[in-house]
PDB file of all heavy atoms in Angstrom:
ATOM      1  N   GLY A 213      -9.579  -2.781 -29.823  1.00  0.00           N
ATOM      2  CA  GLY A 213      -8.724  -2.309 -28.731  1.00  0.00           C
ATOM      3  C   GLY A 213      -9.104  -2.910 -27.395  1.00  0.00           C
ATOM      4  O   GLY A 213     -10.111  -3.591 -27.249  1.00  0.00           O
ATOM      5  N   ARG A 214      -8.224  -2.615 -26.428  1.00  0.00           N
ATOM      6  CA  ARG A 214      -8.383  -3.207 -25.102  1.00  0.00           C
ATOM      7  C   ARG A 214      -9.355  -2.408 -24.241  1.00  0.00           C
ATOM      8  O   ARG A 214      -9.373  -1.178 -24.312  1.00  0.00           O
ATOM      9  CB  ARG A 214      -7.021  -3.260 -24.425  1.00  0.00           C
ATOM     10  CG  ARG A 214      -6.992  -4.232 -23.292  1.00  0.00           C
ATOM     11  CD  ARG A 214      -5.635  -4.720 -22.982  1.00  0.00           C
ATOM     12  NE  ARG A 214      -4.587  -3.728 -23.283  1.00  0.00           N
ATOM     13  CZ  ARG A 214      -3.373  -3.859 -22.788  1.00  0.00           C
ATOM     14  NH1 ARG A 214      -3.084  -4.861 -22.018  1.00  0.00           N
ATOM     15  NH2 ARG A 214      -2.442  -2.973 -23.088  1.00  0.00           N
ATOM     16  N   CYS A 215     -10.146  -3.100 -23.441  1.00  0.00           N
ATOM     17  CA  CYS A 215     -11.097  -2.454 -22.532  1.00  0.00           C
ATOM     18  C   CYS A 215     -10.915  -3.029 -21.132  1.00  0.00           C
ATOM     19  O   CYS A 215     -10.366  -4.124 -20.976  1.00  0.00           O
ATOM     20  CB  CYS A 215     -12.532  -2.735 -22.981  1.00  0.00           C
ATOM     21  SG  CYS A 215     -12.890  -2.144 -24.630  1.00  0.00           S
ATOM     22  N   PHE A 216     -11.408  -2.299 -20.157  1.00  0.00           N
ATOM     23  CA  PHE A 216     -11.241  -2.707 -18.751  1.00  0.00           C
ATOM     24  C   PHE A 216     -12.568  -2.541 -18.024  1.00  0.00           C
ATOM     25  O   PHE A 216     -13.250  -1.540 -18.209  1.00  0.00           O
ATOM     26  CB  PHE A 216     -10.184  -1.815 -18.080  1.00  0.00           C
ATOM     27  CG  PHE A 216      -8.911  -1.719 -18.874  1.00  0.00           C
ATOM     28  CD1 PHE A 216      -8.777  -0.788 -19.910  1.00  0.00           C
ATOM     29  CD2 PHE A 216      -7.855  -2.567 -18.614  1.00  0.00           C
ATOM     30  CE1 PHE A 216      -7.614  -0.697 -20.660  1.00  0.00           C
ATOM     31  CE2 PHE A 216      -6.679  -2.489 -19.354  1.00  0.00           C
ATOM     32  CZ  PHE A 216      -6.563  -1.553 -20.386  1.00  0.00           C
ATOM     33  N   ARG A 217     -12.914  -3.523 -17.207  1.00  0.00           N
ATOM     34  CA  ARG A 217     -14.161  -3.407 -16.436  1.00  0.00           C
ATOM     35  C   ARG A 217     -13.969  -3.967 -15.050  1.00  0.00           C
ATOM     36  O   ARG A 217     -13.143  -4.845 -14.841  1.00  0.00           O
ATOM     37  CB  ARG A 217     -15.297  -4.173 -17.115  1.00  0.00           C
ATOM     38  CG  ARG A 217     -15.789  -3.446 -18.331  1.00  0.00           C
ATOM     39  CD  ARG A 217     -17.075  -4.017 -18.859  1.00  0.00           C
ATOM     40  NE  ARG A 217     -17.291  -3.417 -20.178  1.00  0.00           N
ATOM     41  CZ  ARG A 217     -18.316  -3.658 -20.962  1.00  0.00           C
ATOM     42  NH1 ARG A 217     -19.243  -4.507 -20.574  1.00  0.00           N
ATOM     43  NH2 ARG A 217     -18.435  -3.066 -22.130  1.00  0.00           N
ATOM     44  N   ARG A 218     -14.802  -3.477 -14.135  1.00  0.00           N
ATOM     45  CA  ARG A 218     -14.702  -4.017 -12.774  1.00  0.00           C
ATOM     46  C   ARG A 218     -15.569  -5.271 -12.661  1.00  0.00           C
ATOM     47  O   ARG A 218     -16.038  -5.608 -11.576  1.00  0.00           O
ATOM     48  CB  ARG A 218     -15.100  -2.972 -11.743  1.00  0.00           C
ATOM     49  CG  ARG A 218     -16.495  -2.423 -11.956  1.00  0.00           C
ATOM     50  CD  ARG A 218     -16.976  -1.557 -10.804  1.00  0.00           C
ATOM     51  NE  ARG A 218     -18.266  -0.963 -11.115  1.00  0.00           N
ATOM     52  CZ  ARG A 218     -19.412  -1.609 -11.053  1.00  0.00           C
ATOM     53  NH1 ARG A 218     -19.444  -2.882 -10.711  1.00  0.00           N
ATOM     54  NH2 ARG A 218     -20.540  -0.996 -11.355  1.00  0.00           N
ATOM     55  N   ASP A 219     -15.774  -5.962 -13.777  1.00  0.00           N
ATOM     56  CA  ASP A 219     -16.549  -7.202 -13.767  1.00  0.00           C
ATOM     57  C   ASP A 219     -15.857  -8.263 -12.909  1.00  0.00           C
ATOM     58  O   ASP A 219     -14.638  -8.391 -12.953  1.00  0.00           O
ATOM     59  CB  ASP A 219     -16.643  -7.795 -15.192  1.00  0.00           C
ATOM     60  CG  ASP A 219     -17.648  -7.039 -16.036  1.00  0.00           C
ATOM     61  OD1 ASP A 219     -18.319  -6.139 -15.501  1.00  0.00           O
ATOM     62  OD2 ASP A 219     -17.747  -7.352 -17.248  1.00  0.00           O
ATOM     63  N   ALA A 220     -16.657  -9.028 -12.176  1.00  0.00           N
ATOM     64  CA  ALA A 220     -16.076 -10.182 -11.478  1.00  0.00           C
ATOM     65  C   ALA A 220     -15.683 -11.185 -12.558  1.00  0.00           C
ATOM     66  O   ALA A 220     -16.439 -11.405 -13.504  1.00  0.00           O
ATOM     67  CB  ALA A 220     -17.117 -10.792 -10.555  1.00  0.00           C
ATOM     68  N   THR A 221     -14.486 -11.764 -12.450  1.00  0.00           N
ATOM     69  CA  THR A 221     -14.065 -12.691 -13.502  1.00  0.00           C
ATOM     70  C   THR A 221     -14.776 -14.036 -13.345  1.00  0.00           C
ATOM     71  O   THR A 221     -14.971 -14.531 -12.241  1.00  0.00           O
ATOM     72  CB  THR A 221     -12.540 -12.928 -13.475  1.00  0.00           C
ATOM     73  OG1 THR A 221     -12.192 -13.262 -12.157  1.00  0.00           O
ATOM     74  CG2 THR A 221     -11.771 -11.714 -13.924  1.00  0.00           C
ATOM     75  N   ASP A 222     -15.189 -14.563 -14.475  1.00  0.00           N
ATOM     76  CA  ASP A 222     -15.725 -15.929 -14.518  1.00  0.00           C
ATOM     77  C   ASP A 222     -15.358 -16.503 -15.885  1.00  0.00           C
ATOM     78  O   ASP A 222     -14.499 -15.942 -16.569  1.00  0.00           O
ATOM     79  CB  ASP A 222     -17.242 -15.945 -14.251  1.00  0.00           C
ATOM     80  CG  ASP A 222     -18.025 -15.124 -15.264  1.00  0.00           C
ATOM     81  OD1 ASP A 222     -17.529 -14.962 -16.397  1.00  0.00           O
ATOM     82  OD2 ASP A 222     -19.133 -14.666 -14.945  1.00  0.00           O
ATOM     83  N   SER A 223     -15.981 -17.580 -16.294  1.00  0.00           N
ATOM     84  CA  SER A 223     -15.512 -18.232 -17.526  1.00  0.00           C
ATOM     85  C   SER A 223     -15.771 -17.396 -18.792  1.00  0.00           C
ATOM     86  O   SER A 223     -15.147 -17.634 -19.827  1.00  0.00           O
ATOM     87  CB  SER A 223     -16.158 -19.608 -17.671  1.00  0.00           C
ATOM     88  OG  SER A 223     -17.550 -19.458 -17.778  1.00  0.00           O
TER      89      SER A 223
END
Side-chain angles (χ1 to χ4, degrees):
R214 199 156 30 164
C215 300
F216 310 85
R217 286 192 192 180
R218 57 170 175 78
D219 283 355
T221 51
D222 60 26
S223 62

